[in-house]
């Protein structure tokens, strides 16, 4: 099978809708685009049905930018707001049932490795806090225990935003929600701590305040997962509807939350650190060679 | 011939009602190699190909829907298949080509002149007043649901040229549809024309549709589809008797 899979078969080019022609001519496939290039090329997602001002959508857009090889990536998701946007992207998307995303991703990754032994195929799970920390928790943990080589990205909006505002395991303690009128009863789950305990190679907690940092973190997580083991990103993607954040204030909220409690946190296992330092050296060497 | 008891259920152009039964549940079997399926009955492959050819030549606004498995140049085989696909298209005067490039639930709305989407294929068929169509290169699980939706809400004669086992929910289907069968299909079209079937749009070539039409990339003029036959009484209101639902007011 050819690696140049994203080409129209002979004769069909003129019959493709404009959007697909643009993707073929000026899309992000087979080249790594940068944040500074946004707006100058055809992105894999442009329209979506998410709420106005949704921070999750911005984050998803940046994830697509950060993925190291879009043409060899499959995304797994599940019920929740995120999949409404992810399913619009021109990247294969598999909709797992609630709870089984990481089990689906495990099988998929292993299957792809057998089917394409010479081509790195990336699998990325991208789902909400309900899908990963609550209902999908067992699947997430066991994929980490088994050291499955794919990235899990949690779109942490700290609520079940799609179903009217129930508290999730990732909601802050004491938070009063529409469907949690007496307030959340227990602490926000420490998913980073759990990931570390389970032996995840690389974990990061991030808010979408710095687009380049988001894209770089995603790229790092996917590349480490490819070579070392499971990686995890917990991303603050506020629900401006359930948390009543005025649309123009969404990014202010993200900055405040980042400053007050979320921060930008990274953890590398020893293997991941060694791999990343080595690959960074190699990239620098290649850049130098290119300049010469 | 397969040792399967034939079903009395006819898979005919709809509209069938909002939720037609899957033809397989109604006992319609799949064809085997060398066979075809026409309106729920097993026939030999040559007969199925001729029925498909006649439908495409004589029904209004006939359209080919190439799916991802022929539309994209995955490999040498797909690139070869594309050539034979166009050989078939060139034998069908006035044929339209509308692609199904992928299966995304396109938002906020599809452009039915440019694309068909498996989540709402009926929109493209209604908008373009298509009364015969071919699905080719569509993954089976999407073809199954698409064919049922088309049967549910439109009067379109569906033809599924399937690379695997064929489709019961199509009015006409031939399994294991490879390049060799595309050649045989082209020959069948030539044969029925020779035998006296007069194409509805004799003298026309491929009608540019969708983006090709809008942008005039193919140099063609914008040509609106012909009005469908419903008003002329050609199509029955519903293909089968509708099932009566539960009476919610019953004590």
């Amino acid at each position: 099978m050819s690696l140049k899979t994203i080409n129209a078969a002979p004769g069909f080019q003129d019959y493709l809708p404009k959007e697909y022609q643009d993707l073929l001519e000026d899309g992000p496939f087979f080249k790594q685009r940068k944040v500074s290039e946004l707006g100058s090329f055809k992105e894999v997602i442009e329209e979506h049905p998410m709420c106005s001002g949704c921070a999750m959508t911005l984050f998803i857009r940046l994830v697509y930018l950060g993925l190291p090889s879009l043409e060899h990536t499959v995304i797994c998701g599940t019920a929740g707001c995120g999949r409404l946007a992810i399913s619009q992207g021109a990247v294969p998307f598999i909709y797992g049932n609630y709870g089984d995303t990481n089990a689906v991703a495990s099988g998929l990754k292993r299957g792809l490795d057998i089917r394409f032994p010479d081509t790195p195929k990336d699998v990325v799970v991208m789902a909400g806090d309900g899908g990963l920390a609550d209902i999908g928790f067992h699947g997430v943990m066991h994929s980490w225990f088994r050291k499955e080589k794919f990235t899990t990205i949690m779109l942490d909006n700290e609520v079940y935003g799609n179903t009217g505002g129930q508290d999730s395991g990732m909601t802050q303690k004491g938070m009063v929600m529409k469907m949690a009128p007496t307030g959340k009863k227990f602490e926000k789950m420490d998913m980073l701590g759990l990931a570390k305990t389970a032996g995840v190679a690389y974990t990061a907690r991030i808010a979408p305040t710095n687009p380049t940092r988001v894209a770089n973190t995603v790229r790092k997580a996917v590349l480490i997962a490819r070579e070392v083991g499971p990686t995890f990103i917990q991303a603050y993607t506020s629900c401006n509807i359930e948390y009543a954040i005025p649309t123009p204030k969404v990014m202010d909220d993200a900055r405040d939350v980042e400053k007050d409690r979320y921060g930008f946190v990274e953890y590398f296992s020893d293997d991941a650190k060694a791999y990343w330092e080595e690959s960074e050296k190699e990239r620098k060497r290649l850049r130098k060679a290119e300049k010469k | 011939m397969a040792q399967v008891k034939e079903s009395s259920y006819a898979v005919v152009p709809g509209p069938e009602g909002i939720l037609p039964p899957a033809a397989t549940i109604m006992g319609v079997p799949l064809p085997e190699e060398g066979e075809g399926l026409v309106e729920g009955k097993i026939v030999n492959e040559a007969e199925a190909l001729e029925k498909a050819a006649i439908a495409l030549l004589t029904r209004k606004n006939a359209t080919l829907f190439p799916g991802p498995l022929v539309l994209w140049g995955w490999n040498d085989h797909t690139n070869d298949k594309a050539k034979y696909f166009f050989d078939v298209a060139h034998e069908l005067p006035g044929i339209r080509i509308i692609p199904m490039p992928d299966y995304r639930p396109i938002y906020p709305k599809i452009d039915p002149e440019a694309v068909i989407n498996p989540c709402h294929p009926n929109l493209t068929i209604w908008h373009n007043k298509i009364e015969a169509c071919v699905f080719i290169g569509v993954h089976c699980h999407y073809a199954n649901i698409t064919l049922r939706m088309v049967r549910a809400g439109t009067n379109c004669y569906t033809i599924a040229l399937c690379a695997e086992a064929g489709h019961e929910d199509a009015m006409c289907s031939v399994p294991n549809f490879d390049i060799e069968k595309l050649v045989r299909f082209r020959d069948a079209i030539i044969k029925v024309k020779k035998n006296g079937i007069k194409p509805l749009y004799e003298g026309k070539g491929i009608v540019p549709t969708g983006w090709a039409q809008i942008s005039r990339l193919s140099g063609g003029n914008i040509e609106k589809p012909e009005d469908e036959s419903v008003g002329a009484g050609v199509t029955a209101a519903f293909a089968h008797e509708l099932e009566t639902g539960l009476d919610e007011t019953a004590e």
Side-chain angles (χ1 to χ4, degrees):
Chain A
M1 182 172 277
S2 161
L3 294 182
K4 282 289 258 178
T5 51
I6 303 172
N7 280 317
F12 282 116
Q13 179 86 17
D14 286 352
Y15 291 93
L16 285 174
K18 176 83 172 82
E19 186 198 356
Y20 293 85
Q21 296 195 10
D22 289 350
L23 272 173
L24 291 178
E25 285 161 19
D26 195 23
F29 302 110
F30 303 105
K31 52 194 109 158
Q32 188 75 62
R33 298 289 196 171
K34 295 177 188 157
V35 170
S36 57
E37 291 177 89
L38 277 173
S40 68
F41 65 95
K42 174 76 177 172
E43 291 178 59
V44 291
I45 182 167
E46 287 189 344
E47 292 176 315
H48 60 78
M50 308 283 267
C51 305
S52 173
C54 177
M56 192 182 284
T57 315
L58 168 65
F59 183 81
I60 290 168
R61 187 180 176 201
L62 296 172
V63 168
Y64 281 128
L65 197 69
L67 292 171
S69 55
L70 273 170
E71 59 284 354
H72 295 300
T73 302
V74 181
I75 296 181
C76 289
T78 188
C81 300
R83 53 96 191 180
L84 295 170
I86 301 165
S87 61
Q88 303 294 322
V91 174
F93 171 66
I94 292 181
Y95 185 92
N97 286 321
Y98 233 166
D100 71 8
T101 47
N102 281 47
V104 169
S106 302
L108 188 62
K109 175 65 182 165
R110 292 185 195 191
L112 288 169
D113 284 349
I114 293 167
R115 175 70 181 80
F116 303 98
D118 304 323
T119 309
K121 296 278 182 183
D122 300 322
V123 174
V124 175
V125 170
M126 188 154 42
D129 44 318
L132 297 178
D134 291 355
I135 301 162
F137 184 67
H138 64 292
V140 171
M141 291 304 293
H142 277 274
S143 72
W144 290 348
F145 292 139
R146 292 193 306 268
K147 303 286 183 287
E148 302 286 354
K149 288 185 166 179
F150 62 83
T151 301
T152 305
I153 299 175
M154 179 195 284
L155 304 166
D156 179 16
N157 62 359
E158 305 187 323
V159 65
Y160 285 86
N162 214 3
T163 48
Q166 296 84 355
D167 58 315
S168 81
M170 299 300 284
T171 305
Q172 293 264 92
K173 185 179 180 185
M175 186 59 67
V176 174
M177 317 294 301
K178 279 185 204 146
M179 302 284 243
T182 58
K184 167 88 179 294
K185 300 290 184 209
F186 56 94
E187 301 288 341
K188 182 178 172 86
M189 288 168 70
D190 177 16
M191 285 300 286
L192 289 194
L194 287 163
K196 197 175 164 188
T197 306
V200 170
Y202 170 78
T203 60
R205 194 171 65 199
I206 195 167
T209 52
N210 180 336
T212 303
R213 189 165 65 191
V214 172
N216 287 344
T217 304
V218 170
R219 196 168 303 150
K220 201 184 294 179
V222 173
L223 291 173
I224 292 174
R226 222 185 249 179
E227 299 297 331
V228 185
T231 56
F232 174 60
I233 297 173
Q234 178 185 321
Y236 178 69
T237 55
S238 66
C239 177
N240 53 324
I241 302 300
E242 293 304 330
Y243 279 80
I245 306 165
T247 301
K249 300 282 182 195
V250 166
M251 291 315 291
D252 292 345
D253 167 75
R255 278 187 281 270
D256 290 346
V257 169
E258 184 183 43
K259 197 174 155 197
D260 294 345
R261 61 185 171 90
Y262 225 80
F264 173 58
V265 182
E266 270 184 316
Y267 162 79
F268 292 81
S269 70
D270 292 342
D271 288 349
K273 195 167 189 182
Y275 162 74
W276 190 247
E277 284 173 355
E278 196 52 43
S279 58
E280 281 287 270
K281 269 185 210 163
E282 179 63 12
R283 265 190 292 277
K284 273 182 193 160
R285 192 188 64 74
L286 287 173
R287 272 200 295 269
K288 259 187 191 171
E290 265 176 26
K291 275 182 187 169
K292 279 179 188 174
Chain B
M1 188 74 74
Q3 296 299 308
V4 184
K5 193 184 166 198
E6 284 209 340
S7 166
S8 59
Y9 186 75
V11 183
V12 290
E16 181 88 355
I18 193 161
L19 192 65
T24 186
I25 287 174
M26 302 306 287
V28 174
L30 281 170
E32 293 188 1
E33 178 56 31
E35 296 175 340
L37 195 58
V38 175
E39 300 184 2
K41 302 279 178 288
I42 300 282
V43 298
N44 65 49
E45 182 190 294
E47 188 182 338
L49 291 178
E50 284 182 24
K51 292 274 185 195
I54 291 168
L56 291 171
L57 289 167
T58 58
R59 294 177 72 94
K60 286 186 178 174
N61 308 316
T63 304
L64 305 177
F65 295 130
L69 291 169
V70 294
L71 194 58
W72 297 104
W74 302 103
N75 49 30
D76 292 342
H77 172 74
T78 321
N79 290 335
D80 289 348
K81 209 167 182 179
K83 179 193 169 298
Y84 292 95
F85 171 92
F86 282 102
D87 282 354
V88 168
H90 286 300
E91 290 300 332
L92 295 164
I95 196 77
R96 292 159 190 268
I97 299 174
I98 297 180
M100 186 187 278
D102 59 32
Y103 309 126
R104 284 185 284 168
I106 300 168
Y107 178 85
K109 65 183 180 71
I110 65 155
D111 175 357
E113 279 171 18
V115 73
I116 179 164
N117 187 276
C119 304
H120 30 57
N122 46 334
L123 300 184
T124 296
I125 288 172
W126 284 334
H127 181 89
N128 297 293
K129 298 162 185 161
I130 296 165
E131 293 191 2
C133 71
V134 170
F135 287 94
I136 181 167
V138 179
H139 288 87
C140 291
H141 51 299
Y142 278 105
N144 276 340
I145 190 70
T146 298
L147 288 164
R148 256 181 96 191
M149 287 166 76
V150 173
R151 200 153 64 83
T154 80
N155 63 341
C156 183
Y157 190 96
T158 52
I159 299 158
L161 303 180
C162 177
E164 306 290 339
H167 290 277
E168 308 95 332
D169 280 297
M171 275 108 246
C172 180
S173 184
V174 177
N176 308 320
F177 214 87
D178 52 11
I179 286 176
E180 226 172 85
K181 291 196 183 181
L182 268 171
V183 174
R184 290 214 281 273
F185 187 35
R186 184 201 60 190
D187 294 344
I189 298 166
I190 295 169
K191 184 180 162 194
V192 296
K193 284 194 285 189
K194 215 171 167 184
N195 287 350
I197 296 293
K198 195 174 170 334
L200 190 59
Y201 304 109
E202 184 128 49
K204 280 190 181 176
I206 298 174
V207 179
T209 49
W211 172 243
Q213 180 188 76
I214 295 157
S215 66
R216 301 181 185 221
L217 283 176
S218 306
N221 294 322
I222 291 176
E223 190 165 342
K224 284 192 174 171
E226 195 182 350
D227 277 346
E228 53 193 331
S229 321
V230 176
V234 173
T235 312
F238 287 100
H240 293 103
E241 292 245 332
L242 296 178
E243 293 292 329
T244 310
L246 291 173
D247 182 359
E248 290 177 358
T249 56
E251 293 291 330

